[in-house]
Amino acid sequence: MATESFVLKVLEVVEETADAHSIVFEVPDDLAERFSYTPGQFLTVAVPSDQTGLAARCYSLSSAPHTGRHQITVKRTVDGYASNWLCDNLREGDTLRVLPPSGIFTPRDLESDLLLFAGGSGVTPVMSITRTALEKGHGKVVLFYANRDETSVIFARELAQLSAEYADRLVVVHWLESVQGLPTQEQLKAFATHFSAYTAFVCGPAPFMKAVVESLKELGFPRDRRHQEKFVSLGGNPFGDVEEMQAAAKTLAEADDHEDDDARAVTGPVTVEVDLDGQDYSFDDWQGDKPLLEFLEEKGLDAPFSCREGNCSACACVVLEGEVTMKNNEVLDADDLADGIRLVCQSLPASEKLRISYNG
Ligand SMILES: Cc1cc2nc3c(=O)[nH]c(=O)nc-3n(C[C@H](O)[C@H](O)[C@H](O)COP(=O)(O)OP(=O)(O)OC[C@H]3O[C@@H](n4cnc5c(N)ncnc54)[C@H](O)[C@@H]3O)c2cc1C
Ligand code: FES
């Protein structure tokens, strides 16, 4: 069932810098398929807490999928709870509860030339993309990597090695705030203009991402060549008892039914066609009384999810026909919405027929 979480053993903890640790999980053979991933995807981990039982947090995989390694990289957040707990407490041999990989910050085509922008811990998914593109693709990779100072550069040695090994395909430009100040939009634009035919991936602190994305927009990068990943902390608990969560979601949907009676165009039954993992499914009885994710789970589909709250994008699909309304959306921007991307965990029907794809 899609809602299952798994207890994984920690194989290794690597101190990357003074405030960033990589955690490598052992994935047993019987979970290999469930934990297969594409570069740029993330895991959701349950960090133990005396106060709340657990704090759920997403961490991007920094390893390359074809190596069989499952490595996340956690950077301490000042005054943060989970990141510091993980860096302070987790040791080889410990176990953590984990949700399988999800996310849409992933290249569709490893042969494309890639323009990657990473700020601080934003390098994590970018590193997975870099490693995979170099080893499995043939395109060029340009990485603009911004950090506070030299000591905070995660993966510095490996990037130097990759630059030497793939001298004709990889260019890494380090930008240190301690030396050059924060990169301005004009500087970022002047850099990106040399690579205007590349596909861009951006991950880092909010002001950095904003400056990069605005530069790319000004340079005319089309939406399908401009991807961004936002790092936020989940507020809810996707690890909880499934039936309890579904009951909670139902109560919420019912409350919303009353509040949003005018906004909701359709209450069902709605015909739903779904393309998931290369398989087509069709149902004609979505009553609109529960979010689409919950409906698909009840139908036995292995639909992806993490937060169930509209703030991580793990459940994102593309609406090919029809429309939904979303109860909450903290993660998709206007361009995503214009491209038909919707959060399945927040979707209620707004048309009598809906056709969605999880394959972009
Ligand atoms: C898709 C995605 C990928 C990400 N990838 C990465 C990555 O690769 N690397 C990375 O470093 N980060 C990544 N992040 C960010 C990461 O998920 C966290 O947001 C980040 O580590 C900060 O979490 P934190 O708990 O340390 O800080 P905060 O969330 O700022 O911690 C404070 C919060 O914790 C709560 N809290 C305080 N004390 C306790 C307690 N005792 N028990 C329970 N709760 C408590 C507080 O109420 C408050 O809400 C990613 C986020 C997303 C969405
Ligand atoms: S599961 Fe996180 S936005 Fe839907």
Side-chain angles (χ1 to χ4, degrees):
M1 182 77 176
T3 42
E4 236 178 329
S5 62
F6 301 89
V7 175
L8 297 185
K9 192 166 162 189
V10 175
L11 265 185
E12 194 185 350
V13 176
V14 183
E15 193 173 328
E16 304 283 1
T17 65
D19 58 4
H21 287 188
S22 286
I23 297 159
V24 185
F25 293 105
E26 181 178 66
V27 174
D29 289 347
D30 59 332
L31 291 183
E33 199 180 322
R34 198 74 185 81
F35 274 79
S36 68
Y37 64 101
T38 53
Q41 287 196 310
F42 63 88
L43 298 179
T44 307
V45 303
V47 178
S49 159
D50 290 343
Q51 279 179 24
T52 57
L54 65 86
R57 294 287 185 270
C58 305
Y59 291 101
S60 305
L61 288 143
S62 50
S63 45
H66 64 273
T67 61
R69 194 172 167 96
H70 290 77
Q71 170 182 299
I72 58 171
T73 303
V74 181
K75 184 171 180 178
R76 290 179 190 275
T77 294
V78 179
D79 296 329
Y81 173 67
S83 58
N84 287 299
W85 190 95
L86 290 166
C87 289
D88 288 338
N89 295 292
L90 214 58
R91 299 284 176 267
E92 184 186 327
D94 289 348
T95 55
L96 263 192
R97 217 139 54 96
V98 181
L99 294 180
S102 42
I104 55 170
F105 185 69
T106 182
R108 280 189 200 139
D109 171 15
L110 286 174
E111 297 303 326
S112 316
D113 293 330
L114 300 176
L115 175 58
L116 311 175
F117 288 90
S121 61
V123 74
T124 303
V126 163
M127 195 66 197
S128 177
I129 293 171
T130 301
R131 286 170 161 145
T132 311
L134 290 174
E135 285 163 28
K136 289 289 168 190
H138 297 91
K140 295 200 184 314
V141 180
V142 173
L143 167 58
F144 181 102
Y145 184 15
N147 278 286
R148 198 178 50 234
D149 55 33
E150 209 176 333
T151 61
S152 51
V153 182
I154 310 173
F155 306 127
R157 194 180 321 142
E158 188 177 347
L159 284 169
Q161 281 164 0
L162 286 172
S163 299
E165 191 179 339
Y166 294 94
D168 54 338
R169 291 181 52 211
L170 173 65
V171 174
V172 180
V173 174
H174 287 282
W175 185 284
L176 298 180
E177 193 188 325
S178 57
V179 178
Q180 292 143 293
L182 289 170
T184 64
Q185 195 169 314
E186 279 315 303
Q187 287 166 325
L188 290 162
K189 189 174 158 191
F191 178 79
T193 192
H194 301 292
F195 311 102
S196 56
Y198 286 33
T199 299
F201 286 81
V202 189
C203 187
F208 173 76
M209 297 228 302
K210 187 166 184 287
V212 175
V213 169
E214 286 307 316
S215 312
L216 297 176
K217 282 185 183 170
E218 282 179 21
L219 290 169
F221 275 71
R223 181 62 189 86
D224 64 342
R225 287 198 287 109
R226 186 162 38 81
H227 307 271
Q228 52 180 315
E229 182 78 309
K230 292 175 191 155
F231 281 4
V232 292
S233 289
L234 304 186
N237 168 22
F239 292 90
D241 178 78
V242 177
E243 280 168 16
E244 230 173 66
M245 283 192 305
Q246 291 183 339
K250 191 170 178 193
T251 313
L252 198 60
E254 279 163 0
D256 275 11
D257 275 351
H258 296 301
E259 278 172 22
D260 297 343
D261 275 351
D262 295 339
R264 297 267 310 286
V266 173
T267 51
V270 170
T271 303
V272 185
E273 291 175 9
V274 183
D275 169 14
L276 171 65
D277 295 336
Q279 293 237 38
D280 292 327
Y281 302 88
S282 184
F283 310 104
D284 58 8
D285 55 349
W286 183 26
Q287 299 299 337
D289 55 344
K290 63 191 69 149
L292 183 54
L293 174 63
E294 204 181 311
F295 173 74
L296 297 180
E297 286 175 328
E298 281 179 9
K299 293 291 182 188
L301 266 65
D302 205 5
F305 76 93
S306 175
C307 69
R308 305 181 87 99
E309 293 178 336
N311 55 23
C312 78
S313 83
C315 63
C317 73
V318 177
V319 171
L320 302 173
E321 187 183 337
E323 188 47 288
V324 293
T325 54
M326 288 189 287
K327 299 191 302 168
N328 183 35
N329 166 30
E330 305 285 334
V331 65
L332 302 179
D333 63 20
D335 290 335
D336 296 323
L337 297 176
D339 281 353
I341 301 176
R342 300 290 183 269
L343 303 173
V344 176
C345 74
Q346 298 299 310
S347 289
L348 293 169
S351 61
E352 281 165 13
K353 182 174 180 198
L354 182 70
R355 192 155 62 88
I356 64 166
S357 171
Y358 281 95
N359 303 325

